[in-house]
Amino acid sequence: MTLFDDGPFREPTDLGPGATHVPAWLALDEQRWIVGQFQKWTRGPVPLRAAKVRGHEMSVQTVCLGWHWRPYTYSREATDVNGQRVLPFPDWMIRLGRRALTDTGYPPEMIEHYSPDAALVNFYDDAARMGMHQDKDEQSLAPVVSLSIGDACTFRFGNSENRGQPYTDLRLNSGDLFVFGGPARLAFHGVTRIHPGTAPDACGLGKGRINITMRMTGLSDDRSAGIG
Ligand code: SIN
Ligand code: MN
């Protein structure tokens, strides 16, 4: 028996204050199960669609849970797709989000109040990319929890001032967790490329990459009642 042969290396790596990468955080059976859920989500009521940013279609396709995102706002109905209300945010994903914060060192008293209510589920084909941007359509600055399944990508994680240097390019593989909160919550980030053919067979996704980011929107349905 060799040392460390009982599983992937799961040591978290900090990319500066507030940003943590945990390789191989999801087990393969968890990845497969999530891929099965993804296949259900894409069957409706709102299908995968490429959002338009300033008139240009993104190369990434997205389906949302809890709240529907379109640039630069959230709503319950996918008004820019088919007008249908999006699927509810699943309880298991709230639990998974809390587990992510526990494993990246957030204090229990913060995690108790962490209740993500929107997920953007992105699908990348071989050619898809995502330009550098900030996640700033939320009214809450609670951490963003990101999960990757399928082909690996090069993820660029930058600074909070602009799209340029300094940034770090890292590879996000199937099963990896990335959390950005606190001083890193408004950091620019993007996906510069997908690495086709790198998904492990057992992850359940034959081709492409799924990324789920869960967020707390800070929105309530009764917007006139004020937003916390
Ligand atoms: C995003 O920024 O919304 C997605 C990031 C990723 O695909 O890893
Ligand atoms: Mn983002």
Side-chain angles (χ1 to χ4, degrees), residues 124-228:
Y124 294 74
D125 66 16
D126 292 357
R129 295 186 301 178
M130 191 178 287
M132 293 294 275
H133 66 278
Q134 294 166 295
D135 291 357
K136 59 174 188 187
D137 298 330
E138 301 76 29
Q139 305 218 350
S140 159
L141 288 177
V144 174
V145 170
S146 156
L147 303 172
S148 296
I149 302 177
D151 284 335
C153 77
T154 301
F155 181 65
R156 180 166 289 179
F157 196 74
N159 65 83
S160 303
E161 307 304 317
N162 58 59
R163 292 179 167 75
Q165 296 272 17
Y167 51 68
T168 305
D169 284 345
L170 65 146
R171 189 171 158 123
L172 293 182
N173 290 309
S174 196
D176 286 10
L177 165 69
F178 193 89
V179 175
F180 53 106
R185 176 61 180 78
L186 293 176
F188 282 88
H189 58 277
V191 171
T192 60
R193 61 164 296 202
I194 297 295
H195 300 270
T198 55
D201 287 341
C203 79
L205 192 67
K207 227 178 156 0
R209 169 176 185 260
I210 295 172
N211 174 264
I212 300 176
T213 48
M214 52 185 107
R215 302 125 188 254
M216 264 177 83
T217 63
L219 297 170
S220 73
D221 285 305
D222 179 10
R223 291 173 189 232
S224 62
I227 285 157

Side-chain angles (χ1 to χ4, degrees), residues 23-70:
W25 186 71
L26 290 169
L28 283 165
D29 58 344
E30 293 173 324
Q31 296 175 41
R32 271 199 310 280
W33 187 81
I34 293 173
V35 171
Q37 298 302 301
F38 169 75
Q39 282 153 357
K40 288 187 195 158
W41 300 331
T42 58
R43 287 202 283 271
V46 183
L48 269 176
R49 70 84 168 80
K52 278 192 180 154
V53 182
R54 289 182 293 272
H56 295 283
E57 240 177 40
M58 293 174 72
S59 56
V60 173
Q61 293 179 279
T62 309
V63 63
C64 299
L65 306 173
W67 291 87
H68 177 76
W69 174 83
R70 68 178 196 279

